[in-house]
Amino acid sequence: MTARQLDDNNKMRQRLQRWLPFLSWPRPDRALLINEASAGVTVALMVIPQGVAYAALAGMPLVTGIYAALFPALIAVLFSSSARLSVGPTALTSLLVGASLAPLARPGSDEWVALAVWLTLLSGAMQILLGAVRFGWLLRLVNSPVLMGFTQGAAVLITLSQLPALLGFMGRSYGSLLNGPPPDLLAIGFGLGGMAMLWLGKKWLPKFPTTMALMVVAGGLSYLLDYALRGGAVIGALPSGLPSLYLPHLVTGNEFASLLLPAFLITLVSFLETASSAKVDNARAGTLWNENQDLIGQGLGKIASGLTGSFPTSSSFSRSAITLYAGAKSQWSTLFSVLVVAAALLWAMPLLYGVPQAVLASVVVTATLGLIKPRAFVALWRISRIEAAISAGTFALTIATAPSIYWGVLGGLLASLAHYMYRHLHPRIIEVGLHPDGSLRDRHLWQLPPLSPQVYALRMDADLDFATANPLERNINEVLAQRPELRDVCLFAQPVSRVDLTGVEVLGSIRRLLESKGVRLHLSGLKLPAQQILERADLLAPGPLLACYRTDAEALAALKAMAELDQAGNPKPKE
């Protein structure tokens, strides 16, 4: 085989691995399989009880939470670039499902399940499309303050929604607690005891599958106490067997339209959850994160979830962290996790019958309480009061608009974009002076003298475009009006990477204004892309009132020489 053929084969293999990431998996040996099996079993024993709990949160049949940890996890790991993400049901996506469908159907009904599947398929299709056209960057519009506010607001809502089951008054309103029968004390014991066991397990035995152990202990106690026979709320009978193909009935145009916005929000939140896990995974592996391929993999996982009658999946940060902590090194750990979940669906469902629903609530509440971090708002306030206000506003709006909590993210996103536009429409324009260390600094901030009484030296820390050009022109006009003795204006242009049509027009206007007043214009440090645009616009044509310099040192030397000539009595230059 020739060198050219080898090169062609390598390129073909790289293209196939780009679209079919599982082709690049490491070839397993005995040691690797033993290690991956241990990590996979650990994660599976965590995701099974969590899946049941999150299905309840989503208003879905409880077994669908386990379905969401089977084929979706398998498909996602085959087509994602990140090796050790745990894909399955998560608290935030489950809450979004329940909140989005609440006005449209009754939880747990056939109509609810069909709408949840449509929501899953739409969200999956959006992710696949965004990944295929390499638009993963679009989802980064939601910044950390908005995500923090929404996540903490959602965590509060999730916690409140689980209190009836946790504290033994399911099916009753908060107002009826004082007048109705007393709450179920056994449920309170199961709920609070479950939270204590989960907290202690996380603190002292982080590798141990505490969640599954809790299910076993709670199920055993429930059986010994005849909790179900005494009317206690338990999981009940779950169907055994692997999921079958589910094709939802067609929805009306109004229902379809009402699902589009929640589907996009689920796509957004799912991507951000994936990003938080994938960045850690790739950093530890020393690889670059391929966000678009992960979008495709996660989208295909959602499609698989919908076609098995389940709800949207995502990458769980907590379970992915357990995967890493358990020592997983590759995607093979997910395959072992899937095998354990499949075995549980085939043979272990009857064992979950007597587990109290208060224990499911304890699983959800323990997971979401870790998301509530009031100190994060205080820390953000110290860094940026505006961003702290946006985050707090997102938090408040998320709670105030429940169950339509997606308005919290959208409101925070609009506020964040408005702040972004305000900053770009008000660029930082400073007069510079020469610092003793030889650098050019903000003259007023550092209390430096001007370069010369007849020189205005400025720097704009932004591109020269439609948002910044007019503020620059206004700044120069104001200085000319205040300092009629000026002979030179020098723009230190290193921060300018891009010039658009508005920037070209305004710079031309500035040059003509200065020439009409006999003031020289100096441009220092223009970057090549900006320089080429200005040359094509004929704005850098040589003239007695225009000078361009490659470096600041050249500009400073020229300005010093001109200032000395002006002090010697030379008249103000004219065009």
Side-chain angles (χ1 to χ4, degrees):
M1 185 177 292
T2 65
R4 181 174 180 179
Q5 288 175 323
L6 286 173
D7 186 56
D8 290 341
N9 286 341
N10 287 333
K11 289 181 179 179
M12 178 62 71
R13 188 181 299 110
Q14 289 174 358
R15 282 196 292 267
L16 285 174
Q17 290 177 354
R18 175 185 170 189
W19 293 104
L20 304 173
F22 58 84
L23 295 178
S24 62
W25 286 13
R27 181 172 296 179
D29 53 29
R30 186 172 182 273
L32 178 65
L33 289 178
I34 292 174
N35 180 77
E36 301 305 274
S38 174
V41 170
T42 300
V43 173
L45 294 178
M46 182 178 183
V47 74
I48 291 170
Q50 279 192 348
V52 177
Y54 293 154
L57 182 60
M60 294 287 287
L62 299 184
V63 73
T64 61
I66 306 179
Y67 292 166
L70 186 65
F71 293 124
L74 176 62
I75 297 299
V77 77
L78 288 174
F79 293 95
S80 295
S81 66
S82 300
R84 295 168 291 185
L85 300 188
S86 176
V87 175
T90 63
L92 279 181
T93 51
S94 301
L95 174 66
L96 287 170
V97 172
S100 303
L101 301 184
L104 303 177
R106 181 173 55 84
S109 64
D110 292 342
E111 181 70 13
W112 181 283
V113 173
L115 290 174
V117 168
W118 275 111
L119 198 59
T120 307
L121 296 175
L122 284 172
S123 178
M126 289 178 183
Q127 283 193 279
I128 293 172
L129 178 62
L130 288 170
V133 298
R134 310 190 70 78
F135 263 40
W137 59 268
L138 184 64
L139 299 179
R140 283 179 271 161
L141 289 175
V142 175
N143 58 17
S144 295
V146 173
L147 180 61
M148 184 182 77
F150 171 74
T151 301
Q152 298 210 38
V156 169
L157 293 174
I158 292 173
T159 303
L160 293 176
S161 72
Q162 298 302 301
L163 289 183
L166 186 71
L167 300 179
F169 58 94
M170 286 184 65
R172 296 162 57 191
S173 66
Y174 288 96
S176 66
L177 292 181
L178 297 178
N179 302 323
D184 185 345
L185 296 180
L186 279 177
I188 295 176
F190 278 122
L192 298 183
M195 289 182 64
M197 182 172 174
L198 290 170
W199 183 80
L200 290 173
K202 182 179 180 180
K203 182 176 181 180
W204 298 108
L205 297 169
K207 287 188 177 182
F208 184 73
T210 309
T211 308
M212 180 55 75
L214 170 63
M215 293 290 178
V216 173
V217 171
L221 288 175
S222 174
Y223 175 78
L224 293 174
L225 296 173
D226 290 330
Y227 184 63
L229 295 178
R230 295 166 60 178
V234 297
I235 289 179
L238 297 179
S240 297
L242 301 179
S244 55
L245 178 66
Y246 179 92
L247 296 176
H249 63 73
L250 295 178
V251 295
T252 65
N254 288 336
E255 287 176 328
F256 184 82
S258 65
L259 294 177
L260 287 176
L261 184 57
F264 176 73
L265 183 60
I266 289 173
T267 297
L268 183 62
V269 171
S270 175
F271 174 81
L272 295 171
E273 286 186 310
T274 300
S276 63
S277 303
K279 289 177 181 178
V280 174
D281 178 31
N282 284 273
R284 292 197 178 184
T287 57
L288 294 176
W289 178 39
N290 187 341
E291 59 188 18
N292 293 303
Q293 188 59 46
D294 273 353
L295 271 172
I296 293 173
Q298 296 278 329
L300 290 171
K302 284 184 172 63
I303 297 295
S305 184
L307 293 179
T308 53
S310 191
F311 51 95
T313 56
S314 184
S315 174
S316 166
F317 184 82
S318 60
R319 292 196 302 270
S320 297
I322 291 294
T323 303
L324 294 174
Y325 192 76
K329 300 184 183 302
S330 71
Q331 296 88 337
W332 293 101
S333 63
T334 299
L335 295 188
F336 283 103
S337 177
V338 167
L339 289 175
V340 174
V341 172
L345 282 168
L346 290 171
W347 299 297
M349 291 299 97
L351 301 178
L352 296 176
Y353 178 90
V355 175
Q357 292 204 13
V359 171
L360 297 184
S362 72
V363 172
V364 175
V365 171
T366 303
T368 55
L369 282 179
L371 300 175
I372 303 175
K373 301 175 181 178
R375 291 183 180 179
F377 291 105
V378 177
L380 184 57
W381 179 265
R382 296 194 188 107
I383 298 170
S384 170
R385 294 188 175 185
I386 294 178
E387 290 189 307
I390 292 173
S391 185
T394 302
F395 172 84
L397 191 59
T398 299
I399 294 177
T401 57
S404 302
I405 60 174
Y406 44 79
W407 292 113
V409 168
L410 295 178
L413 175 61
L414 290 176
S416 180
L417 290 176
H419 175 52
Y420 176 84
M421 288 303 301
Y422 178 85
R423 287 190 294 107
H424 280 72
L425 289 168
H426 298 77
R428 184 169 182 260
I429 302 173
I430 60 171
E431 181 180 2
V432 298
L434 189 60
H435 193 272
D437 64 7
S439 63
L440 292 171
R441 304 287 184 92
D442 186 331
R443 188 175 79 79
H444 300 287
L445 182 64
W446 290 86
Q447 299 180 353
L448 302 172
L451 296 182
S452 170
Q454 295 177 320
V455 173
Y456 177 49
L458 73 155
R459 186 183 75 224
M460 182 174 70
D461 295 333
D463 290 330
L464 184 59
D465 56 23
F466 72 96
T468 62
N470 288 323
L472 176 64
E473 183 179 26
R474 183 170 59 250
N475 177 274
I476 291 176
N477 273 314
E478 290 174 354
V479 171
L480 288 175
Q482 296 168 3
R483 299 167 61 181
E485 75 282 0
L486 283 180
R487 291 174 176 263
D488 299 275
V489 170
C490 182
L491 174 62
F492 290 91
Q494 297 92 338
V496 179
S497 300
R498 186 179 64 88
V499 181
D500 68 1
L501 179 59
T502 305
V504 168
E505 293 175 347
V506 169
L507 189 61
S509 175
I510 291 173
R511 180 177 177 182
R512 290 189 294 272
L513 172 67
L514 295 177
E515 288 175 348
S516 69
K517 296 180 176 295
V519 177
R520 292 176 293 239
L521 174 62
H522 305 262
L523 297 174
S524 172
L526 273 174
K527 294 178 180 176
L528 186 58
Q531 179 181 328
Q532 289 173 334
I533 292 174
L534 295 178
E535 286 174 345
R536 288 197 293 269
D538 202 29
L539 285 179
L540 300 183
L545 296 180
L546 176 69
C548 296
Y549 312 97
R550 298 302 305 162
T551 66
D552 292 349
E554 293 178 14
L556 291 172
L559 290 172
K560 182 179 180 181
M562 290 181 184
E564 291 173 352
L565 288 174
D566 291 338
Q567 289 175 359
N570 289 345
K572 194 172 184 178
K574 297 293 182 182
E575 174 65 14

